[in-house]
Amino acid sequence: MNPTDHNDRPESTPETVAATGSESARESVSTASELATVHPLRTCPDQHESTTSAGDESAPQVVEGRIISEYEYRLLTDQKAQREWRYADYRKQAAWLARTTRTAVAHDRTVSTLKFVGRNALVYPTLGAGVALKRWRDTHGSSRYERMMRAAELAGDHDKLADWEARDVAEKARRHDRAMDWIRSPWQLAKAAGAVTVCAAVLLLVLGLILWVGGKGEFLGPITAVVDAIAFAVWFVITYGALLVTGVTAGVVTWLWNLGRTSQAVPDLFRPASQRNLDDVVITPSIVVTALRDLRISELRKKIEAMEDGGAAMLSPIRLAGCGVEFDIHLPSGVDTEEVKRKRRKFAENMGRHEHEVFLTTPPAPRTVRVWAADSGELDKPIGPSPLVTDPTLTADLYTGRVPWGMDLRGDAVLMALLQCHLLVTGLSKQGKTASLRALALWLALDPSVQLYIADLKGIGDWRMFKPVAEELIEGPTDAHCIQATEMLEWGVKEMERRLMAFDGDKYRNGVPRELAKPGGPFAPIVLLVDEAQQAFMNPAKDEQNNPYGGQTSKSRYFMAARKIHNQGRAVNVVLWQGTQDPTNDNLPKLVREGAHIRAALALGTESQSRMALGDKAVDGGAAPHELRSGLDKGTLVVSGEGVPLPPGQPSMTVRTHFIDGDDSVTVINRAVAIRGAKTGKPQVEAPIVRDLLADVAEVLAGGDVKATDVGARLRELAPGYQPYAGLSAEKVREALDKVRVPVRFKDGVLTVRNRQVVEALAQRELEK
Ligand SMILES: Nc1ncnc2c1ncn2[C@@H]1O[C@H](COP(=O)(O)OP(=O)(O)OP(=O)(O)O)[C@@H](O)[C@H]1O
């Protein structure tokens, strides 16, 4: 309120009554004075005059009165109060102005307008001028040669260095010649100009003479025309010069503006918001070089700053690779790959990525780091269902087919060949160990020749759907279950040994062929699968001979069985797949983890665990399952090993596996059951029958010496359909018995099996037991 404003509102508290008029006015408001003090106010001079003239006849009266507060009264009468009021009002106005200015300045539209103006009026032309200057210096000076020489020197490429040096020398010589030409040129130019002028004048005079003689014009007509043309040109330039200069300037500025606009070096401050978001996704050479420069590796920074191309020479072209980009960084001398790989997080964040979105590996080229960087947020998107689920016609063949396990980081399908591969999957709890192992086993189930022996040492039903197709399914976490799993492996060892003995290496020189590995065949693939294998290694139980089931001594039964299978099982189609938590030396002995052809790790806690899971070579080459985000990267595996289809020089790959849940697994198993020909009975250990050759031969000899050919025939009669006895010729009988230390010699020119030697071999075997 202005101090001179009147407040007529009746609800104002009447603390003070102010009245204009003479002293006697007090009487007339005496009632009010009982409630509040009455202050007379000085009237305005004109009011006063009129009052005075009116009062000539009668006594002064109250002209006007109102009830005001004490503060209002002070505002009307006290200068100090008025000043304070005024200052308070100024402060209020200043605060309002500041607030409004701040809002206006910080408003999105203002910011974007200022950026737009700054960018177009200032930044683009300036950058363009810089680019133009650089180009000019490149074409007219030796800076390009020097830059290239420095780059070659930093890269340690001496051939290139010498080449650029030679070019530089040649260019300098050319430039010197040009400069000398300039020194000589004024005199030559003057001479040339004089000659041209004289020639032109003579020409024009001759022309004028011809015209004059022909009566077509004056003698000096041509010369006058030329002089007029020159005069017109001068007049034109003088009259329209300003316009010409403006036009040319506008053209130059537009050209510079365009150069700056396309230079990609616009400071962040002036970039439009939309382009800034785009940069979150697009990785450009300048972003990479800046990210490298800011890694706080002083040698790298120095070298980059010394390169006049800003370090771009270090980078290979940035290629699109799946849901991200890939490029190589050829580091300058003095910086090693490990230094850069150690700064992965900083490097990723400098490029506007999360750490888990950037993978650094070491390609075969020396001093080079290969970078794969995902597009922002791409790795957090699900990869879609497995073809095993979506394609009901999909079948499997272990010999020729490959499992669609998931996708690599480039978005390419990862197809794993599993024939004769031991496998190991490790990971922290609840990261998808069982699911990733199961996805492979489900594919195997679709191949009717594969015999699955499964021990689930957690036993909450993750593997129960395999019941109709598995030869054996052990489910449970107790020591007894671990003992069962151990015995399952030991059975595998026996079967492996039987196969090794029975395999005819002369006939099958390229390993076990498909014909021997058909469903029910003597070498049908056997997969012994132990999930939560750490339980079996940690099993404290001992057998009657006091041999431990767990542990990793030469007497530890699980450990020894696993080792034997790792050592020899592959060749005869007996393989071991294990899933285990947190690898340590106790729950995953070194010898066992190194026996796997395919080693896969989900998120792990530490680098040392990664080394255990994947091996030093893979981790040194950039495999980093410990960098996966526990809980967020479920089902993402870092895979290495000789059974993995890795690109040349790459020690590992990251696979995002398809997740097949319990219900979908049941659907796949139902298809497997149909394929396997209604093989649905209750699973039980149906170990292939292994006959005792010595005992059988003793039986068919019936105490006498028998011709080897007849022994073969009698064995076939004894065990019809038993594959190893099929087609046993005299020579084959000799070979088979030779392996069990029964020599078969000629008797009367015929190969004969002697009863005495068979009996002795049986006795010897008993003794050895
Ligand atoms: N490929 C995947 N994609 C997405 N989620 C997955 C994937 N694999 C597993 N998961 C999720 O992780 C959960 C745990 O999976 P799983 O039981 O296989 O883990 P685990 O490592 O075997 O656990 P445990 O600690 O019991 O051994 C699943 O229920 C599922 O929700």
Side-chain angles (χ1 to χ4, degrees):
M1 187 187 81
N2 192 306
T4 53
D5 288 349
H6 291 181
N7 185 355
D8 295 331
R9 281 180 295 160
E11 62 270 26
S12 302
T13 318
E15 291 170 347
T16 301
V17 176
T20 48
S22 69
E23 196 60 33
S24 63
R26 261 177 226 221
E27 303 330 88
S28 60
V29 289
S30 60
T31 338
S33 69
E34 287 167 15
L35 300 170
T37 320
V38 175
H39 296 287
L41 288 181
R42 267 186 280 119
T43 53
C44 312
D46 55 337
Q47 211 178 357
H48 185 72
E49 272 162 30
S50 65
T51 315
T52 317
S53 59
D56 287 346
E57 282 121 51
S58 59
Q61 294 171 6
V62 173
V63 176
E64 197 185 338
R66 67 188 167 92
I67 298 169
I68 55 172
S69 66
E70 188 62 41
Y71 175 67
E72 284 169 325
Y73 175 71
R74 277 203 298 118
L75 280 183
L76 289 170
T77 54
D78 183 354
Q79 279 195 353
K80 191 175 164 215
Q82 284 172 3
R83 202 169 49 244
E84 277 169 7
W85 180 90
R86 254 195 325 275
Y87 288 156
D89 203 40
Y90 293 156
R91 272 199 299 278
K92 234 190 289 171
Q93 285 174 9
W96 174 85
L97 192 67
R99 215 170 32 246
T100 312
T101 313
R102 207 177 312 131
T103 313
V105 167
H107 193 275
D108 282 353
R109 205 164 292 162
T110 319
V111 172
S112 59
T113 309
L114 284 175
K115 278 184 181 177
F116 178 81
V117 173
R119 202 167 51 240
N120 287 284
L122 204 69
V123 179
Y124 286 164
T126 313
L127 283 176
V131 173
L133 182 69
K134 191 162 178 276
R135 283 187 191 173
W136 188 88
R137 283 177 53 206
D138 274 358
T139 19
H140 294 90
S142 58
S143 60
R144 169 180 287 158
Y145 300 92
E146 281 164 13
R147 194 170 60 237
M148 298 312 283
M149 280 191 282
R150 261 198 295 275
E153 192 178 2
L154 285 171
D157 190 341
H158 295 288
D159 288 346
K160 241 188 207 161
L161 179 63
D163 182 34
W164 280 106
E165 217 161 24
R167 289 191 203 191
D168 185 31
V169 171
E171 177 56 27
K172 277 183 180 147
R174 264 197 303 275
R175 253 200 322 276
H176 174 75
D177 291 348
R178 273 204 303 276
M180 295 310 289
D181 286 349
W182 276 112
I183 294 169
R184 285 191 290 268
S185 60
W187 170 234
Q188 284 170 349
L189 275 176
K191 268 202 307 189
V196 167
T197 312
V198 170
C199 288
V202 170
L203 197 72
L204 292 172
L205 284 173
V206 170
L207 191 65
L209 183 67
I210 293 168
L211 289 174
W212 177 68
V213 170
K216 300 279 182 199
E218 291 180 20
F219 176 60
L220 291 178
I223 289 189
T224 317
V226 170
V227 171
D228 286 350
I230 293 169
F232 173 78
V234 172
W235 170 85
F236 186 85
V237 169
I238 290 169
T239 313
Y240 296 102
L243 264 181
L244 278 177
V245 170
T246 313
V248 170
T249 312
V252 170
V253 171
T254 311
W255 176 67
L256 292 179
W257 174 87
N258 192 44
L259 272 185
R261 190 175 61 87
T262 49
S263 77
Q264 297 284 329
V266 181
D268 243 10
L269 181 66
F270 287 96
R271 279 175 199 259
S274 58
Q275 205 178 328
R276 287 251 289 274
N277 288 342
L278 201 67
D279 278 354
D280 287 346
V281 180
V282 179
I283 288 187
T284 59
S286 67
I287 286 176
V288 177
V289 175
T290 311
L292 284 169
R293 194 197 58 199
D294 296 345
L295 279 185
R296 284 175 175 265
I297 301 174
S298 62
E299 188 65 17
L300 182 60
R301 187 188 182 94
K302 258 192 270 164
K303 295 270 162 85
I304 290 177
E305 283 171 352
M307 297 178 197
E308 279 184 25
D309 64 349
M314 293 193 303
L315 305 184
S316 73
I318 297 179
R319 304 172 291 271
L320 286 178
C323 58
V325 291
E326 189 179 68
F327 53 90
D328 289 349
I329 305 168
H330 186 61
L331 297 171
S333 62
V335 185
D336 68 67
T337 50
E338 269 315 301
E339 276 177 283
V340 175
K341 278 159 71 183
R342 270 199 300 275
K343 304 255 177 167
R344 176 172 168 229
R345 172 176 299 178
K346 197 177 282 279
F347 183 48
E349 289 177 0
N350 286 355
M351 289 196 298
R353 294 292 186 279
H354 291 293
E355 186 180 14
H356 71 273
E357 291 173 327
V358 172
F359 290 81
L360 305 178
T361 49
T362 322
R367 233 169 52 216
T368 304
V369 177
R370 179 158 295 161
V371 183
W372 183 87
D375 293 342
S376 289
E378 276 302 312
L379 290 188
D380 297 329
K381 294 182 186 162
I383 64 161
S386 164
L388 283 179
V389 177
T390 54
D391 181 1
T393 61
L394 198 132
T395 53
D397 184 335
L398 182 60
Y399 265 70
T400 56
R402 293 188 294 165
V403 201
W405 201 16
M407 277 183 181
D408 64 13
L409 293 176
R410 295 148 185 261
D412 297 333
V414 173
L415 302 167
M416 301 287 291
L418 297 174
L419 180 66
Q420 300 183 341
C421 282
H422 301 302
L423 191 128
L424 174 67
V425 177
T426 55
L428 297 178
S429 180
K430 298 301 293 166
Q431 299 307 308
K433 198 168 2 76
T434 302
S436 53
L437 206 51
R438 196 171 63 189
L440 296 177
L442 283 170
W443 182 82
L444 280 189
L446 294 172
D447 180 345
S449 69
V450 177
Q451 298 172 2
L452 289 163
Y453 292 80
I454 299 172
D456 171 13
L457 298 183
K458 184 162 49 174
I460 55 156
D462 286 342
W463 293 91
R464 195 152 307 149
M465 65 288 288
F466 282 80
K467 216 168 180 181
V469 290
E471 310 298 319
E472 182 175 7
L473 178 62
I474 299 161
E475 285 185 291
T478 65
D479 291 350
H481 291 103
C482 294
I483 291 172
Q484 273 182 287
T486 308
E487 285 168 354
M488 183 180 89
L489 252 63
E490 287 174 339
W491 170 84
V493 173
K494 276 210 194 97
E495 173 60 13
M496 172 190 84
E497 286 169 353
R498 182 198 71 74
R499 290 178 173 202
L500 286 169
M501 302 275 282
F503 187 68
D504 186 348
D506 291 337
K507 187 166 173 193
Y508 304 106
R509 294 203 176 81
N510 296 316
V512 178
R514 189 44 149 160
E515 68 205 68
L516 292 184
K518 292 221 166 93
F523 291 89
I526 289 175
V527 177
L528 302 153
L529 194 156
V530 184
D531 195 10
E532 308 291 346
Q534 76 278 1
Q535 298 270 64
F537 283 110
M538 308 288 272
N539 181 11
K542 292 192 172 168
D543 63 12
E544 309 87 59
Q545 279 86 43
N546 211 27
N547 290 329
Y549 283 95
Q552 45 182 311
T553 64
S554 58
K555 299 233 156 127
S556 302
R557 289 180 57 178
Y558 183 90
F559 172 65
M560 288 310 288
R563 276 202 62 195
K564 282 183 185 164
I565 294 172
H566 272 171
N567 287 344
Q568 292 176 305
R570 182 201 68 76
V572 287
N573 277 349
V574 178
V575 295
L576 176 60
W577 288 11
Q578 297 180 99
T580 173
Q581 269 183 16
D582 305 353
T584 63
N585 284 327
D586 289 334
N587 65 22
L588 189 60
K590 191 171 191 300
L591 288 174
V592 171
R593 56 186 191 242
E594 287 180 352
H597 301 110
I598 298 173
R599 296 167 77 172
L602 293 137
L604 287 173
T606 60
E607 189 186 314
S608 72
Q609 283 184 334
S610 299
R611 289 184 182 279
M612 287 187 204
L614 300 179
D616 287 339
K617 188 169 166 244
V619 175
D620 290 340
H626 52 281
E627 307 275 10
L628 293 171
R629 299 161 302 165
S630 168
L632 291 174
D633 289 328
K634 284 185 176 186
T636 299
L637 293 145
V638 181
V639 192
S640 72
E642 56 207 70
V644 184
L646 296 170
Q650 194 173 306
S652 68
M653 74 161 141
T654 304
V655 183
R656 301 162 72 204
T657 54
H658 297 293
F659 179 52
I660 307 177
D661 68 12
D663 295 338
D664 287 336
S665 301
V666 170
T667 313
V668 178
I669 289 294
N670 288 342
R671 283 196 351 249
V673 170
I675 289 171
R676 283 170 180 249
K679 183 180 179 297
T680 52
K682 188 180 181 311
Q684 53 189 345
V685 184
E686 281 178 22
I689 300 156
V690 185
R691 297 195 65 93
D692 182 349
L693 178 67
L694 262 186
D696 284 350
V697 170
E699 191 178 332
V700 298
L701 291 183
D705 296 350
V706 179
K707 285 186 215 159
T709 339
D710 293 348
V711 170
R714 286 185 195 181
L715 283 174
R716 278 195 294 281
E717 224 169 86
L718 179 72
Y722 183 55
Q723 195 66 23
Y725 294 168
L728 270 184
S729 60
E731 195 53 42
K732 289 237 168 94
V733 168
R734 181 160 81 158
E735 279 170 20
L737 285 176
D738 213 30
K739 286 181 188 160
V740 287
R741 288 183 282 175
V742 176
V744 179
R745 308 257 184 269
F746 286 97
K747 184 177 173 184
D748 302 330
V750 181
L751 275 176
T752 306
V753 181
R754 289 181 174 82
N755 185 51
R756 183 178 50 83
Q757 277 164 339
V758 174
V759 172
E760 275 174 14
L762 276 169
Q764 183 63 30
R765 194 173 71 180
E766 279 309 305
L767 274 178
E768 283 172 7
K769 266 189 184 173

